[in-house]
Amino acid sequence: MKRLSVSNLLGIKYLQPEDLHLIFETATHFKEVINRPIKKVPSLRDITIANLFFEDSTRTKLSFELAEKRLSADVINFSVSQSSVSKGETLVDTVKNIIAMKVDMVVLRHPNSGAAHFLSKYVDSCIINAGDGTHEHPSQALLDAYSLYEKFGDLSGKRIAIVGDILHSRVALSNIYALKMMGAEVKLCAPKSLLPKLIESLGVTISFDLMEVLNWCDAVNMLRVQNERMELSYFPSTREYSQKFGLNIERMNQLRKKIVILHPGPINRGVEITSEVADSEQAIILDQVENGVAIRMAIIYLLGSQINIKVT
Ligand code: NCD
């Protein structure tokens, strides 16, 4: 059986191109499985997975949980508001206690950048990063890249734009790593205040002109303005942001070609994207959600089969 080059999924940065191919190949198999009348396989019947969510989540949490259940793993869920973390327990202590209950794998979402990496140094269990602060969100980037691969085939030379709040987005960084690894060209578009300094060192280009970017790209990933991560005001008003950086039908109609539209969700309709565009045929937002389950099944299956347990 082919193996991943890593034993945790902490970020796309730590993966090799072959890992992405293996994850995609495995996800294609699982996508077929979850479209069957009987969607469940016994592959991870002997493993126990804890979903530890220290931050709100709808799609990612449900998608991981479904993926785990479709693989027949035992699943326990933890969210910070109902835990002893509010009594002052540290992350490492919380996780060590959970692992002492014989948990094989931990899926961690945490508001602090680097939390998954930090945890992997202290606990001897397989860790999957489900989003750490403004750092990485590897499973999202894998499902985005997989959805593009389904649409275009080989991504080498494809032009992909990422528009919106790049500064506070873990989706942006993981997408940049994944898309570059697959040979795509990446252009970022955002107000200057929402772009990290030195981001061009990752091999991406920048534009402040949304129409120029839309005319350039084959696909655009529209990101939400992450208001919950902002202590300051990064642009004059939401209305002004939408006028300069929002995707609407008038802009789409001015293009010389049809482009593919992605969004990781949750959507702020009327801010970064209008309803007309989000619900249009060019948007693959719900395909991304479907692919998310298959991709997460692939990640869990491949990592699960590398730990010292029986996988059928
Ligand atoms: C993203 C996240 O949480 O980083 N959402 C997600 O996982 N589907 C993006 C966002 O919150 O805007």
Side-chain angles (χ1 to χ4, degrees):
M1 185 188 158
K2 287 194 225 158
R3 293 173 65 100
L4 293 173
S5 67
V6 290
S7 51
N8 298 303
L9 181 63
L10 302 178
I12 302 288
K13 193 165 114 190
Y14 308 104
L15 299 180
Q16 302 296 324
E18 303 75 54
D19 294 321
L20 268 62
H21 293 135
L22 178 56
I23 292 169
F24 286 8
E25 198 183 292
T26 314
T28 302
H29 165 71
F30 285 130
K31 187 163 178 181
E32 190 257 311
V33 169
I34 58 179
N35 278 293
R36 288 183 199 156
I38 297 168
K39 300 173 175 58
K40 210 164 163 166
V41 286
S43 313
L44 294 187
R45 193 172 55 199
D46 295 324
I47 91 155
T48 305
I49 305 177
N51 298 316
L52 310 192
F53 279 68
F54 290 79
E55 209 186 52
D56 295 341
S57 168
T58 310
R59 262 156 300 272
T60 308
K61 189 164 183 293
L62 288 177
S63 178
F64 266 111
E65 198 174 333
L66 256 184
E68 292 152 5
K69 290 183 167 160
R70 299 264 193 262
L71 291 167
S72 305
D74 286 325
V75 179
I76 53 171
N77 287 304
F78 163 102
S79 69
V80 69
S81 56
Q82 299 140 15
S83 74
S84 291
V85 172
S86 52
K87 298 181 188 167
E89 191 170 59
T90 66
L91 173 64
V92 172
D93 280 337
T94 303
V95 175
K96 277 191 169 164
N97 276 274
I98 291 168
I99 289 167
M101 299 177 207
K102 308 289 175 230
V103 166
D104 304 292
M105 201 182 273
V106 171
V107 176
L108 178 75
R109 169 163 288 195
H110 201 279
N112 295 353
S113 300
H117 196 273
F118 170 79
L119 196 63
S120 71
K121 300 267 171 256
Y122 289 92
V123 301
D124 189 21
S125 177
C126 173
I127 311 284
I128 297 178
N129 180 4
D132 62 327
T134 58
H135 180 224
E136 280 228 37
H137 192 351
S139 62
Q140 179 70 43
L142 288 165
L143 76 88
D144 292 342
Y146 181 77
S147 303
L148 288 168
Y149 162 78
E150 246 187 2
K151 256 320 253 188
F152 298 126
D154 186 7
L155 291 191
S156 79
K158 284 278 172 275
R159 295 170 162 193
I160 315 297
I162 305 176
V163 177
D165 182 359
I166 315 285
L167 182 67
H168 300 99
S169 171
R170 48 196 173 211
V171 176
L173 187 60
S174 289
N175 258 273
I176 293 170
Y177 287 135
L179 293 168
K180 295 289 301 175
M181 209 178 277
M182 298 187 73
E185 286 181 48
V186 180
K187 200 185 272 286
L188 308 178
C189 179
K192 212 170 186 166
S193 57
L194 290 179
L195 276 169
K197 288 195 182 71
L198 308 176
I199 189 81
E200 285 131 306
S201 63
L202 297 178
V204 298
T205 53
I206 287 172
S207 168
F208 301 107
D209 178 350
L210 181 59
M211 277 318 289
E212 186 241 312
V213 171
L214 295 175
N215 273 312
W216 170 86
C217 71
D218 299 302
V220 61
N221 198 343
M222 298 301 300
L223 301 179
R224 184 175 65 87
V225 175
Q226 316 251 310
N227 286 313
E228 73 279 17
R229 300 194 192 285
M230 296 182 188
E231 278 147 25
L232 307 162
S233 190
Y234 284 76
F235 44 82
S237 71
T238 303
R239 196 159 153 262
E240 195 162 320
Y241 178 86
S242 304
Q243 274 171 3
K244 280 203 83 172
F245 295 98
L247 193 53
N248 56 36
I249 209 74
E250 293 73 33
R251 288 204 157 105
M252 296 296 290
N253 288 341
Q254 280 172 43
L255 298 180
R256 297 183 288 271
K257 56 180 179 183
K258 286 215 179 301
I259 58 168
V260 173
I261 297 151
L262 298 96
H263 194 303
I267 295 175
N268 276 165
R269 288 177 183 260
V271 181
E272 71 277 5
I273 190 167
T274 61
S275 287
E276 252 179 314
V277 179
D279 301 331
S280 71
E281 288 211 325
Q282 282 159 265
I284 58 165
I285 301 171
L286 292 176
D287 299 319
Q288 289 173 267
V289 177
E290 178 181 349
N291 290 337
V293 178
I295 279 286
R296 290 180 174 114
M297 283 174 83
I299 295 167
I300 294 163
Y301 174 77
L302 290 165
L303 289 174
S305 55
Q306 291 176 196
I307 42 187
N308 208 7
I309 40 148
K310 190 174 120 254
V311 178
T312 50

